Amino acid sequence: MDDPLVIAGEAFSSRLITGTGGAPSLDVLERALRASGTELTTVAMRRVDPGSRGSLLDVLARCGVRLLPNTAGCATAGEAVLTARLAREALGTHWVKLEVVADETTLLPDPVETLDAAERLVDDGFAVLAYTSDDPVLARRLEQAGCAAVMPLGAPIGTGLGVLNPHNVELIAATLSVPVVLDAGIGTASDAALAMELGCDALLLATAVTRARDPELMATAMRHAVEAGRLARRAGRIPRRRHAQASSPVDGRADLA
């Protein structure tokens, strides 16, 4: 683990965080999780039944994947705080992915309610990973509120449109000190690689894998894309040029005139 992802003091060798929504079956989900190499997976609290056998929690336990409860479906700060507290009681974790959406049509994050919920949850001892828009100012405010990670969207949830505003995402990644995890909008592996090349520390995706024609194969592609994008970021891309530049030196060129 020479390049770990560190969130709230805990290290992960994989920089791919997965969601569980949209999987056609638990068997398909399990194979996709194993192929992705993920070590952290989000689960909506409304889908969790801690007491049932053969459940989603059993799949995650078999795969050795850490559970990250989220507040999906919440529309106010109050709902999100209550959901996070229920998750802490039921699952014994103080980690939470904070998600407060403005409406059911766009599923875009509500900035006011999100910041309010983040401040209240941090005060309550939670490690908050906050889903937000690609607004650099709001991302900075969430970091100042004490969030353990900030998660700007690439595009609206489930659209598969990729990274619509790479400039803002790159600015957020360059500005914040806490991990930046691109969340939502990823459609295919090239989107994942781009997000990492822009400087994101990790990537969270769900339906790009679970609703692919072959989820296990797409999970494998996403795993390699995240790794490739991270390596490319660390290696440093060449600058873009307006005109051509020969790769071979001109010294020693034969005079054929």
Side-chain angles (χ1 to χ4, degrees), residues 46-68:
R46 56 186 175 180
R47 298 183 58 209
V48 173
D49 180 0
S52 67
R53 293 187 174 184
S55 69
L56 183 58
L57 297 186
D58 292 330
V59 171
L60 298 181
R62 281 199 300 273
C63 294
V65 175
R66 177 173 178 153
L67 176 67
L68 175 61

Side-chain angles (χ1 to χ4, degrees), residues 6 18 48 56 82-83 94 97-98 111 143 161 174 180 184 188-190 211 216-217 231 239 255 257:
V6 179
T18 57
V48 173
L56 183 58
L82 176 59
T83 301
H94 67 289
K97 180 199 165 186
L98 173 61
E143 180 185 42
L161 292 173
V180 173
T188 189
S190 56
R211 289 179 177 155
E216 185 177 1
L217 192 57
L231 288 173
D255 185 1

